[in-house]
């Protein structure tokens, strides 16, 4: 039986130059390739679990994961061809022609693969960074794959962005090096409003927002008068929020806008509306109460103001909730318990 099996493995399937490709060589090369691919998957999965346990977005572990995974697959291919009995030097001309064909037919895939390696080694974008593309696409980087980068936006929608787009186009990395950013929140008040009163009430409202950082020599909450509009003074609230708030720009801007509106209304500061006011200074030579007396009019008696209902800032509450955990690559896999410290 053994002699029959050996005879079967030595059956020549075809010849490639001076090399004979046998049944045993094909089986051995496929087995070797499978072992290398299984090793690449096992090492990649192990490093990913370690990376998620230690620190999400650990750059050194992420680079090691990708290099070892891709490297083992390439080594497995080369070892499989060698085990097949093919002299790799005899394939130089064939490989050159194949490379030209791949460059023409698969240039898009190769371009994205090289761009992905560039992103991994350049480390301009890392796992966990909040990025914004030139077209307004924003989200947290979840994974840099061989073809595309997986990004999750604040609506929990996953986007696949081609790797080359992150390299060739302008990209804003809002959380580079783990530092916060200064935010500008525009608002307007009616012309004639007390600027100092506006400044004081808006600063107090901004500092009461729970994710506003305390003032330091470098980071200070400010109110700027930046211009004039139709019956309006244009202001900007300059504020330094926490890094987690920077990752949710729409909710953050809505929370500050809500707080500013509450502060202005509470201080009795008028917000401009598209309207025209006609001011009559005198009526038949009389002004003020005398003019009202001439018209048989009396000032209206208003009921005493009631206490306003407490304001609920939904956007601020949304910013206080924790970020969702990254979606696992294998949805059926058991969740990884976080390390207790």
């Amino acid at each position: 039986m053994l002699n029959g099996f050996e005879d079967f493995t030595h059956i020549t399937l075809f010849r490639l130059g001076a090399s004979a490709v046998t049944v045993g060589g094909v089986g051995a090369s496929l087995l070797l390739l499978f072992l290398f691919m299984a090793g690449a998957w096992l090492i990649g999965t192990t490093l990913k679990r370690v990376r998620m346990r230690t620190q999400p977005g650990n750059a050194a572990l992420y680079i090691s994961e990708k290099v070892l995974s891709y490297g083992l697959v390439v080594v497995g291919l080369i070892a499989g061809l060698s085990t097949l009995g093919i002299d790799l030097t005899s394939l130089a001309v064939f490989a050159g022609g194949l490379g030209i064909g791949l460059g023409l037919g698969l240039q898009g895939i190769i371009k994205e693969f090289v761009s992905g390696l560039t992103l991994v080694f350049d480390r301009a974008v890392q796992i966990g960074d909040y990025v914004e593309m030139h077209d307004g696409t924003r989200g947290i980087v979840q994974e840099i794959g061989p073809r595309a980068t997986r990004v999750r936006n604040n609506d929990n929608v996953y986007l696949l962005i081609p790797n080359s787009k992150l390299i060739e186009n302008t990209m804003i990395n809002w959380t580079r090096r783990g530092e916060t950013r200064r935010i500008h929140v525009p608002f307007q008040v009616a012309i004639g409003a007390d600027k100092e009163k506006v400044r004081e009430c808006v600063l107090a409202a901004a500092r009461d927002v729970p994710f506003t950082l305390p003032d330091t020599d470098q980071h200070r909450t400010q109110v700027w008068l930046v211009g004039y509009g139709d019956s309006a003074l244009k202001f900007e609230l300059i504020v330094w929020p926490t890094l987690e708030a920077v990752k949710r720009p729409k909710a953050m801007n809505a929370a500050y806008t809500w707080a500013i509106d509450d502060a202005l209304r509470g201080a009795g500061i008028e917000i401009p509306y598209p309207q025209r006011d006609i001011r009559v200074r005198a009526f038949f030579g009389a002004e003020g109460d005398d003019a009202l007396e001439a018209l048989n009019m009396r000032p209206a008696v208003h009921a005493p103001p009631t206490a306003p209902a407490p304001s609920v800032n939904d956007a601020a509450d949304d910013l206080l909730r924790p970020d969702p955990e990254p979606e696992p690559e294998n949805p059926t896999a058991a969740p990884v318990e976080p390390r207790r410290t």
Side-chain angles (χ1 to χ4, degrees):
M1 181 180 293
L2 293 177
N3 291 333
F5 179 75
E6 291 180 359
D7 294 339
F8 174 74
T9 57
H10 285 85
I11 296 177
T12 301
L13 296 177
F14 59 89
R15 303 186 67 86
L16 187 61
S19 303
V21 179
T22 63
V23 174
V26 171
S29 62
L30 291 177
L31 178 61
L32 192 61
L33 179 60
F34 171 77
L35 291 176
F36 271 93
M37 293 183 67
W41 176 84
L42 180 61
I43 292 176
T45 303
T46 303
L47 288 177
K48 184 174 182 179
R49 287 178 177 271
V50 173
R51 174 168 57 87
M52 297 305 295
R53 284 179 178 271
T54 55
Q55 177 185 354
N58 190 303
L61 286 177
Y62 188 78
I63 292 176
S64 301
E65 173 192 338
K66 294 301 180 184
V67 170
L68 290 176
S69 299
Y70 297 157
L72 284 176
V73 173
V74 173
V75 172
L77 288 174
I78 297 175
L81 291 176
S82 299
T83 306
L84 198 60
I86 298 177
D87 184 8
L88 297 180
T89 59
S90 65
L91 296 178
V93 177
F94 173 75
L98 181 62
I100 295 175
L102 290 175
L104 294 176
L106 303 176
Q107 57 181 343
I109 297 177
I110 296 175
K111 174 184 177 182
E112 303 302 340
F113 180 76
V114 174
S115 298
L117 292 179
T118 303
L119 289 174
V120 170
F121 286 100
D122 186 55
R123 298 175 62 180
V125 179
Q126 300 182 26
I127 306 302
D129 285 348
Y130 187 85
V131 298
E132 179 179 355
M133 302 298 296
H134 68 288
D135 59 355
T137 301
R138 294 180 290 192
I140 299 176
V141 177
Q142 299 290 304
E143 189 79 17
I144 301 176
R147 186 188 67 84
T149 297
R150 186 160 56 97
V151 174
R152 188 194 72 229
N153 65 15
N154 290 329
D155 294 328
N156 206 31
V157 176
Y158 285 84
L159 310 173
L160 290 178
I161 302 178
N163 293 327
S164 60
K165 299 294 184 182
L166 297 175
I167 295 178
E168 298 174 352
N169 298 316
T170 301
M171 177 193 63
I172 302 175
N173 191 337
W174 285 96
T175 54
R176 174 69 172 165
R177 297 181 180 178
E179 298 177 354
T180 186
R181 299 293 183 262
R182 187 170 70 176
I183 305 301
H184 297 242
V185 183
F187 66 96
Q188 298 181 9
V189 300
I191 287 181
D194 188 337
K195 297 188 295 295
E196 287 299 325
K197 189 176 181 181
V198 171
R199 178 180 179 275
E200 291 175 1
C201 70
V202 171
L203 284 179
R207 288 167 179 159
D208 286 341
V209 175
F211 47 83
T212 301
L213 293 177
D215 286 358
T216 63
D217 293 339
Q218 292 79 22
H219 301 164
R220 290 190 302 157
T221 304
Q222 299 173 311
V223 173
W224 293 355
L225 175 60
V226 296
Y228 296 91
D230 293 338
S231 303
L233 297 176
K234 295 183 178 180
F235 288 88
E236 281 187 358
L237 169 64
I238 310 301
V239 65
W240 295 83
T242 61
L243 188 63
E244 293 304 316
V246 172
K247 294 180 180 180
R248 302 174 183 176
K250 289 187 177 180
M252 176 187 59
N253 191 281
Y256 280 119
T257 302
W258 189 286
I260 290 172
D261 185 76
D262 283 347
L264 295 178
R265 292 177 183 273
I269 298 174
E270 183 181 356
I271 299 174
Y273 299 97
Q275 62 184 12
R276 292 293 181 267
D277 295 335
I278 300 177
R279 304 182 65 180
V280 180
R281 297 186 56 87
F283 184 80
F284 295 120
E287 297 183 9
D289 292 339
D290 295 335
L292 293 176
E293 184 70 26
L295 292 172
N296 292 325
M297 298 175 63
R298 294 291 184 272
V301 178
H302 298 282
T306 58
S311 178
V312 179
N313 195 335
D314 291 334
D317 293 341
D318 182 76
L319 282 167
L320 295 177
R321 64 176 173 83
D323 282 331
E325 293 295 329
E327 181 180 319
E329 293 295 328
N330 184 6
T332 61
V336 179
E337 293 292 334
R339 174 177 294 178
R340 298 183 181 272
T341 57

